[in-house]
Amino acid sequence: MHTVEKIGGTSMSRHEDVLNNIFIGGRQERDLYNRIFVVSAYGGITDKLLEHKKNRKPGVYALFSDGDSEWAWGDALTRVSHIMCEKNKKIFGDSEEQRQADSFVIERIEGVRSCLMDLHRLCSFGHFQLEEHLMTVREMLSALGEAHSAYNTSLLLQKHGVNARFIDLSGWREMSKQPLDEKLMAHMKDVDLTRELPIVTGYAQCSEGLMNTYDRGYTEITFSRLAVLTGAREAIIHKEYHLSSADPKIVGVEKVKPIGQTNYDVADQLSNLGMEAIHPRAAKGLRQSGIPLRVKNTFEPDHDGTLIRTEYMSEKPCVEIVAGRKGIYGIEVFDQDMVGVGGYEETILKTLKRFKVKMITKDINANTVTTYVVGNLKDVRRVVTTLEEEYPQSEISVHKVSIVSAIGSDIQISGLLSRAVRAMAEHRIVIRAMSQSIRQVDIQFIVAEDDYEAAIRALHEVLVEKDAEQGIMTDAA
């Protein structure tokens, strides 16, 4: 029985810790195997290949698709090549492995450069439109990051006597595309897990087009499908932090506690807030196949981490995590004629999808629909302009807010809501809106952006810290 394990980009950048804590550690001989590893690109590489995930600073892809400067993207690609080779030198020093790693990088980078130059020339003719090829370009560029890290990891493990095998799913120079499941099984069919350690690229070229559906969440889709198709006993994600009761940077390291167990419902709520334990589409496959997911801290290998299981329910109702998200825009559509008339919600959702603005939650009453979204202000304004054209009689306004949520596998606790509201009031935090689902896994509060951290601390103190203290006192009695 084997495991399928994924290592995130920040962890991958700490190659010595990953080598000592995950790949080898105290393992010898057979204990090194019966594991499949799916690796992300080194931290920051995908940002430079595409665009920065948070501040949207353009990378190679953004510069190429913009098309204002023919050579800006080429210079950016050269910088990525230098960064990759610097990483190789840091890992391997002056060695034969470094020369192999550099040769691999240069071949891939220059191959992509040649392809993009040819495409640029081709699209200078009116019969070919660049927009039709941009998603392919995005996937090709992104694949460079995972291929680089997976190849390096294989070399490093081989240098340490491990029979590692580089599994390249990036589609480099392949002539045809397969469906994802077929591709995964074709590359794994002759791997002997008892004596080989597969190091798999997080990006997989396939007929479905992973980036078109999952954008930068594709690594977890590859990881999840591998676990399902190979019948893994457990799926494991290695991150640079524990899945804890709150963000320790906000609440304080001494006040938060790692979550021992939870379920996929909780994982979905965290994902919706942008704090992904795992991409929800990836979680779906594991959930349906009954494969438990373990989230571990790369730098604390002896800690069991958080086990996420379909059937888990806390022994007694409690709040497990207080989490949230800043930078939320509340798009409020008020229309006196909305009462009893359908179509508003559908139009709003269609408009959000058109401009690729992600919805976090929404609230509705007789004459108002407020949708809470995350995206850049430019796209939000486009959404508002489109809705104003669709409903010229409506009053549409935008509010900059944040969401704070109390989450647990079972939060059906009498008086929980009143305690939460009281805690916020005591800290002079105004609740702009709130909701609690009948499924009893989360309560969401909409507060001003400036009140975000104070709201996290207030809810964690009253719903997690004090409940934990009372639990200890009860056990002692």
Side-chain angles (χ1 to χ4, degrees), residues 28-280:
Q28 294 181 350
E29 299 178 356
R30 288 188 299 179
D31 290 340
L32 289 164
Y33 304 102
N34 280 310
R35 298 178 293 164
I36 300 171
F37 283 95
V38 178
V39 298
S40 300
Y42 296 116
I45 292 293
T46 306
D47 286 343
K48 290 178 172 57
L49 286 167
L50 302 180
E51 67 283 317
H52 196 284
K53 196 171 185 179
K54 292 183 178 179
N55 63 29
R56 311 306 292 177
K57 182 179 179 180
V60 179
Y61 169 78
L63 292 169
F64 181 81
S65 61
D66 185 53
D68 285 344
S69 172
E70 183 176 349
W71 298 110
W73 65 265
D75 293 341
L77 189 60
T78 299
R79 287 193 292 273
V80 173
S81 178
H82 291 161
I83 292 169
M84 286 181 168
C85 288
E86 286 171 7
K87 185 66 179 177
N88 297 346
K89 185 175 182 179
K90 185 176 181 181
I91 295 173
F92 299 112
D94 184 9
S95 65
E96 178 58 29
E97 287 82 8
Q98 184 211 2
R99 286 182 278 279
Q100 290 181 51
D102 285 355
S103 177
F104 180 87
V105 165
I106 292 168
E107 179 197 0
R108 295 288 174 109
I109 289 284
E110 294 311 313
V112 168
R113 189 193 306 275
S114 177
C115 180
L116 294 184
M117 290 174 67
D118 288 344
L119 180 61
H120 194 275
R121 283 194 293 266
L122 183 67
C123 292
S124 65
F125 296 90
H127 295 80
F128 301 92
Q129 299 301 314
L130 181 61
E131 290 76 14
E132 297 174 2
H133 305 282
L134 284 179
M135 186 52 67
T136 301
V137 170
R138 187 172 178 84
E139 296 208 2
M140 182 174 61
L141 284 167
S142 184
L144 288 173
E146 275 81 20
H148 174 226
S149 62
Y151 184 79
N152 277 8
T153 301
S154 302
L155 278 182
L156 184 62
L157 288 168
Q158 290 164 10
K159 185 177 181 180
H160 285 78
V162 179
N163 187 24
R165 180 170 174 174
F166 174 46
I167 305 292
D168 187 4
L169 303 177
S170 69
W172 185 252
R173 299 194 184 282
E174 291 182 5
M175 300 303 293
S176 61
K177 294 181 181 180
Q178 297 172 284
L180 177 61
D181 287 2
E182 287 184 19
K183 178 155 194 164
L184 294 176
M185 294 310 294
H187 279 75
M188 294 299 299
K189 66 179 181 181
D190 61 343
V191 176
D192 184 352
L193 292 177
T194 64
R195 62 182 186 87
E196 291 182 286
L197 190 64
I199 308 299
V200 184
T201 58
Y203 170 77
Q205 184 196 44
C206 58
S207 56
E208 296 94 327
L210 289 186
M211 290 205 76
N212 194 36
T213 306
Y214 309 108
D215 198 48
R216 289 167 68 165
Y218 55 80
T219 304
E220 291 180 358
I221 302 300
T222 303
F223 156 76
S224 170
R225 293 311 299 164
L226 264 177
V228 171
L229 293 170
T230 61
R233 66 173 172 81
E234 189 171 275
I236 303 173
I237 292 180
H238 299 275
K239 290 182 174 286
E240 68 276 16
Y241 51 81
H242 285 294
L243 188 58
S244 301
S245 56
D247 185 344
K249 294 178 183 177
I250 296 175
V251 175
V253 176
E254 72 287 352
K255 294 181 179 180
V256 302
K257 60 178 183 178
I259 304 301
Q261 293 192 69
T262 191
N263 63 24
Y264 282 109
D265 262 0
V266 171
D268 286 346
Q269 307 313 315
L270 292 174
S271 176
N272 190 47
L273 293 170
M275 301 175 59
E276 291 187 359
I278 185 172
H279 192 286

Side-chain angles (χ1 to χ4, degrees), residues 193-458:
L193 292 177
T194 64
R195 62 182 186 87
E196 291 182 286
L197 190 64
I199 308 299
V200 184
T201 58
Y203 170 77
Q205 184 196 44
C206 58
S207 56
E208 296 94 327
L210 289 186
M211 290 205 76
N212 194 36
T213 306
Y214 309 108
D215 198 48
R216 289 167 68 165
Y218 55 80
T219 304
E220 291 180 358
I221 302 300
T222 303
F223 156 76
S224 170
R225 293 311 299 164
L226 264 177
V228 171
L229 293 170
T230 61
R233 66 173 172 81
E234 189 171 275
I236 303 173
I237 292 180
H238 299 275
K239 290 182 174 286
E240 68 276 16
Y241 51 81
H242 285 294
L243 188 58
S244 301
S245 56
D247 185 344
K249 294 178 183 177
I250 296 175
V251 175
V253 176
E254 72 287 352
K255 294 181 179 180
V256 302
K257 60 178 183 178
I259 304 301
Q261 293 192 69
T262 191
N263 63 24
Y264 282 109
D265 262 0
V266 171
D268 286 346
Q269 307 313 315
L270 292 174
S271 176
N272 190 47
L273 293 170
M275 301 175 59
E276 291 187 359
I278 185 172
H279 192 286
R281 298 282 186 90
K284 181 180 178 181
L286 299 176
R287 191 174 196 166
Q288 291 177 338
S289 299
I291 299 174
L293 171 67
R294 191 179 297 275
V295 181
K296 295 199 66 174
N297 186 326
T298 301
F299 312 113
E300 293 187 31
D302 295 330
H303 195 287
D304 289 336
T306 303
L307 187 63
I308 301 173
R309 297 184 290 122
T310 302
E311 69 277 9
Y312 175 80
M313 188 74 72
S314 56
E315 292 184 5
K316 59 181 182 179
C318 67
V319 172
E320 297 168 15
I321 302 173
V322 176
R325 186 161 186 164
K326 297 176 71 175
I328 301 292
Y329 294 97
I331 303 175
E332 181 184 80
V333 180
F334 167 80
D335 193 332
Q336 191 66 53
D337 296 330
M338 190 182 296
V339 183
V341 177
Y344 284 82
E345 293 174 67
E346 290 83 356
T347 301
I348 292 169
L349 292 175
K350 188 183 297 184
T351 306
L352 294 176
K353 184 177 181 180
R354 174 184 170 188
F355 294 107
K356 297 181 179 180
V357 174
K358 180 185 175 184
M359 183 183 73
I360 304 298
T361 188
K362 63 181 177 181
D363 58 54
I364 304 169
N365 65 18
N367 54 21
T368 309
V369 177
T370 305
T371 310
Y372 300 97
V373 304
V374 59
N376 62 61
L377 183 57
K378 182 180 179 180
D379 289 335
V380 171
R381 284 173 174 164
R382 287 174 174 171
V383 170
V384 171
T385 299
T386 302
L387 292 176
E388 286 174 340
E389 292 171 354
E390 185 73 25
Y391 300 112
Q393 77 283 2
S394 299
E395 296 178 17
I396 301 176
S397 55
V398 177
H399 310 271
K400 190 73 177 292
V401 296
S402 58
I403 296 177
V404 178
S405 186
I407 307 169
S409 53
D410 179 10
I411 61 169
Q412 194 167 344
I413 306 168
S414 177
L416 177 66
L417 183 57
S418 63
R419 288 167 56 203
V421 172
R422 191 180 308 117
M424 304 270 250
E426 288 173 356
H427 287 79
R428 299 184 182 280
I429 299 168
V430 176
I431 299 172
R432 306 283 299 276
M434 56 167 288
S435 64
Q436 181 174 13
S437 66
I438 200 168
R439 193 172 176 83
Q440 298 294 332
V441 293
D442 72 324
I443 305 175
Q444 292 186 337
F445 299 94
I446 309 298
V447 300
E449 178 119 302
D450 293 342
D451 287 334
Y452 174 74
E453 293 191 2
I456 292 281
R457 286 191 290 267

